[in-house]
């Protein structure tokens, strides 16, 4: 993502940039040679003015990628316990959580994913903020409550990661601050792809200089070499970050969601609605499954005879333990979370393993008899919904665990370095080094006039379409154009005044 300046002649230690030329004898410049000044001007101003936003997003994203492991250290008392001989029933663990927080209502439970991990009981409380729950951590071997923390979102972020996540998403400003993150995501792919085009279009002594920093280079040439080669390596990840970040943005996200729905790629959900619309732990009704028997063999399983509500009856609740047993028998192995019934709904048991290969199947269990009412296999998701799931989880550092988080940290650090090197090049190109506070000269105006009409018209149509689809990109680009035009008018007025005097 090179920030370049064609106004100044080539430096003594740097060869001039030369875009590809038209075939010999054609008598006309290539389309790229016409488009290059326009791309250069856009890249220069976008890099100059949007880079601070990108720098904040990259820095907070770097901290977020490291926060997963930091949480394990900071909250180790709540998250880890000595491994015991026997795991207690979930119902007993829920009773302990309710006793610790009688003002809370249990909404879901995340079972331990490994030996020595605590059970996470999520509660809604009167003072809970939107999308946040109270997480009560229970020792699965003793039912001791280890502590309670605020949990955010489906990823279960604890206070440290939540704070960094909110800084990354909206600068801790709430809904108005989301404009910043959407602006960053909207421009990231533009700056990245534009920079790669400029970097590839440069003349160089060897192909190796395209992929690695040039040996022996000094000054601005060395900085440009670092900036361009690292940008080329990072461009794929940066574009993917931009695309996935836009999926849950405020304005562009609505457009993306609408198109995804029209293409049949909406994410499906398991149906937990009871027949008759009543029942569940929250409502007490049985729910229209009279005549069905409890799952065969449940009564004879070891330890089941002592579980409350084991004998499922119409209007009763088989309990969370048998709901999990039913889900296990339906094939849901590995770590799972259980959403408790509410008025008119049953249990929802969902796999939560986002490692590869993922296990994200889910089933709905009738609380009256423990029967599977509905099931949803991740293999049956539409392809677009699968890709969206993979993309969002990868953006959040959940898809491949530690590997994913290290990759995100490396990508964020790369973007920070690219931006810093870009600003350094801009500083090194300032008109006079005697004026320490002066800035580099801007890219010359009128680049669009050099683009052939056959290329300019489709380009303008594409830009208009993208600007409509990504509103903040379109609005900010329009602001750039207006300011650039005003600066041009001022420059002409000054030139006329100078000519008269």
């Amino acid at each position: 993502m090179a920030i370049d300046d064609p106004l100044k002649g080539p430096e003594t230690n740097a060869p001039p940039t030369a875009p590809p030329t038209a075939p010999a004898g054609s008598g006309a410049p290539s389309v790229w040679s016409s488009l290059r000044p326009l791309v250069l001007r856009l890249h220069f101003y976008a890099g100059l003015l949007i880079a601070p936003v990108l720098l904040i997003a990259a820095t907070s994203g770097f901290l977020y990628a490291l926060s997963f492991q930091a949480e394990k250290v900071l909250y180790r008392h709540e998250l880890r316990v000595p491994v015991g001989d026997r795991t207690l029933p979930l119902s007993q663990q829920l009773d302990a959580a309710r006793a610790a927080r009688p003002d809370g209502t249990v909404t879901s439970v995340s079972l331990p994913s490994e030996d020595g991990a605590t059970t996470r009981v999520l509660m809604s409380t009167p003072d809970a903020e939107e999308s946040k729950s109270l997480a009560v951590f229970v020792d699965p071997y003793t039912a001791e409550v280890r502590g309670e923390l605020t949990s955010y979102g489906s990823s279960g972020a604890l206070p440290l990661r939540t704070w960094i996540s909110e800084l990354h998403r909206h600068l801790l400003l709430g809904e108005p601050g989301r404009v910043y993150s959407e602006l960053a995501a909207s421009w990231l792919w533009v700056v990245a792809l534009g920079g790669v085009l400029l970097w590839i279009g440069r003349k160089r002594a060897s192909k190796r200089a395209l992929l690695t920093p040039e040996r022996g280079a000094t000054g601005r040439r060395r900085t440009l070499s670092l900036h361009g080669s690292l940008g080329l390596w990072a461009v794929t990840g940066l574009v993917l970050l931009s695309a996935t970040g836009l999926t849950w943005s405020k304005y562009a996200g609505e457009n993306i969601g609408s198109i995804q729905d029209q293409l049949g790629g909406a994410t499906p959900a398991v149906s937990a609605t009871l027949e008759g619309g009543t029942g569940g732990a929250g409502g007490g009704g049985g729910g229209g499954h009279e005549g069905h028997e409890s799952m065969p063999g449940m009564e004879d399983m070891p330890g089941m005879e002592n579980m409350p509500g084991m004998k499922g009856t119409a209007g009763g609740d088989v309990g969370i333990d048998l709901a999990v047993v039913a889900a296990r028998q339906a094939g849901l192995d590995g770590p799972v979370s259980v959403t408790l019934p509410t008025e008119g709904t049953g249990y929802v048991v969902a796999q939560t393993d986002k490692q590869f290969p993922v296990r994200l199947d889910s089933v709905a269990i009738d609380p009256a008899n423990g029967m599977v009412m509905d099931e949803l296999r991740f293999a049956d998701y539409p392809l677009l919904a699968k890709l969206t799931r993979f993309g969002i989880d990868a953006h959040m550092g959940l898809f491949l665990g530690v590997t994913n988080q290290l990759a995100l940290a490396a990508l964020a650090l790369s973007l920070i370095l690219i931006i810093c090197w870009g600003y350094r090049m801009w500083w090194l190109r300032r008109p006079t080094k005697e004026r320490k506070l002066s800035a580099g000269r801007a890219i010359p105006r009128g680049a669009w006039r050099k683009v052939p009409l056959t290329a300019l018209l489709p380009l303008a149509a594409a830009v208009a379409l993208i600007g409509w689809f990504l509103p903040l990109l379109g609005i900010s680009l329009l602001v750039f154009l207006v300011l650039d035009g005003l600066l041009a008018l001022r420059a002409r007025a000054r030139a006329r005044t100078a000519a008269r005097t």
Side-chain angles (χ1 to χ4, degrees):
M1 295 183 290
I3 298 180
D4 212 336
D5 182 1
L7 273 183
K8 187 175 179 181
E11 300 178 45
T12 56
N13 64 339
T17 300
T21 57
S26 64
S30 66
V31 174
W32 169 243
S33 63
S34 301
L35 283 175
R36 184 181 181 279
L38 190 62
V39 175
L40 192 55
R41 183 167 182 78
L42 177 63
H43 186 73
F44 177 84
Y45 280 115
L48 193 65
L49 302 175
I50 299 297
V53 176
L54 294 175
L55 187 59
I56 295 173
T59 304
S60 57
F62 177 76
L63 295 175
Y64 179 82
L66 301 180
S67 66
F68 288 85
Q69 303 308 313
E71 279 190 338
K72 293 181 180 180
V73 176
L74 185 61
Y75 306 120
R76 58 186 178 276
H77 177 75
E78 289 82 3
L79 297 174
R80 304 295 302 178
V81 294
V83 178
D85 298 328
R86 183 176 65 92
T87 300
L88 297 176
L90 281 174
S91 56
Q92 188 172 337
Q93 298 179 49
L94 261 62
D95 288 342
R98 291 188 179 106
R101 285 303 299 258
D103 60 326
T105 301
V106 177
T107 56
S108 65
V109 182
S110 293
L111 277 64
S113 58
E114 58 184 353
D115 293 339
T118 53
T119 300
R120 187 177 303 199
V121 181
L122 296 183
M123 293 182 167
S124 62
T125 56
D127 57 346
E129 300 178 32
E130 184 180 1
S131 300
K132 294 183 180 179
S133 303
L134 176 69
V136 178
F137 298 87
V138 182
D139 186 332
Y141 309 104
T142 64
E144 174 195 359
V145 173
R146 300 282 291 183
E148 54 187 57
L149 296 167
T150 301
S151 176
Y152 171 75
S154 60
S155 68
L158 298 179
L160 173 64
R161 183 152 56 96
T162 298
W163 187 87
I164 298 175
S165 174
E166 291 178 344
L167 175 67
H168 181 70
R169 287 186 300 112
H170 52 60
L171 298 177
L172 306 177
L173 298 175
E175 194 67 20
R178 292 181 64 188
V179 172
Y180 126 84
S181 58
E182 183 169 349
L183 191 64
S186 298
W187 275 99
L188 178 57
W189 68 275
V190 178
V191 179
L193 292 179
V196 166
L197 287 176
L198 294 170
W199 179 245
I200 293 176
R202 292 179 60 87
K203 263 191 176 181
R204 48 185 48 86
S206 65
K207 292 183 179 179
R208 185 180 177 216
L210 179 69
L211 300 173
T212 59
E214 187 176 353
R215 292 181 178 178
T218 58
R220 182 183 176 280
R221 180 175 174 180
R222 180 176 181 274
T223 305
L224 175 59
S225 180
L226 292 167
H227 178 89
S229 57
L230 182 57
L232 186 63
W233 282 104
V235 64
T236 301
L238 295 178
V239 171
L240 289 176
L241 279 181
S242 174
T244 53
L246 286 170
T247 56
W248 64 76
S249 61
K250 181 175 178 61
Y251 302 105
E254 293 179 359
N255 293 333
I256 293 173
S258 176
I259 291 179
Q260 184 175 348
D261 292 344
Q262 292 175 14
L263 294 176
T267 300
V270 68
S271 175
T273 303
L274 299 172
E275 294 181 9
T278 60
H289 283 269
E290 295 84 353
H292 291 285
E293 298 178 356
S294 299
M295 292 191 67
M298 278 190 178
E299 295 87 346
D300 301 326
M301 294 183 68
M304 291 296 139
E305 66 275 2
N306 297 323
M307 288 188 179
M310 176 263 171
K311 299 287 187 180
T313 59
D317 188 337
V318 297
I320 188 173
D321 294 285
L322 288 185
V324 173
V325 170
R328 296 298 191 194
Q329 290 186 349
L332 269 66
D333 57 347
V336 297
S337 67
V338 185
T339 301
L340 270 62
T342 57
E343 182 71 28
T345 68
Y347 289 95
V348 175
V349 185
Q351 291 177 317
T352 58
D353 185 4
K354 296 180 179 179
Q355 301 291 315
F356 189 82
V358 300
R359 288 180 290 180
L360 296 174
D361 299 343
S362 57
V363 296
I365 307 296
D366 191 330
N369 50 43
M371 297 291 291
V372 175
M373 300 188 298
D374 188 27
E375 62 181 46
L376 177 63
R377 305 296 173 179
F378 186 71
D380 298 329
Y381 277 37
L383 177 60
L384 195 55
K386 288 181 181 178
L387 294 177
T388 301
R389 180 75 271 160
F390 290 147
I392 290 177
D393 288 345
H395 189 113
M396 297 177 66
L398 303 172
F399 179 40
L400 298 173
V402 176
T403 302
N404 191 169
Q405 294 151 25
L406 291 176
L408 283 177
L411 196 58
L413 183 59
S414 298
L415 182 56
I416 292 170
L417 292 174
I418 290 168
I419 293 172
C420 291
W421 285 329
Y423 273 116
R424 175 167 173 74
M425 286 190 296
W426 177 55
W427 174 255
L428 291 175
R429 273 258 169 118
R430 63 191 187 276
T432 57
K433 294 188 178 182
E434 291 77 14
R435 295 169 57 197
K436 295 182 179 181
L437 296 179
S438 61
R441 283 176 284 183
I443 305 300
R445 299 182 180 86
W448 63 271
R449 298 191 190 96
K450 300 178 182 179
V451 182
L453 194 61
T454 52
L456 184 61
L457 292 179
L459 179 63
V463 170
L465 180 61
I466 294 172
W468 171 83
F469 190 72
L470 307 178
L472 292 188
L473 174 64
I475 293 172
S476 56
L477 180 58
L478 185 61
V479 170
F480 284 174
L481 294 175
V482 170
L483 290 176
D484 195 48
L486 293 175
L487 290 174
L489 292 176
R490 189 181 70 169
R492 290 174 186 172
R494 286 182 174 178
R496 284 195 293 266
T497 303
R500 285 197 299 267
T501 57

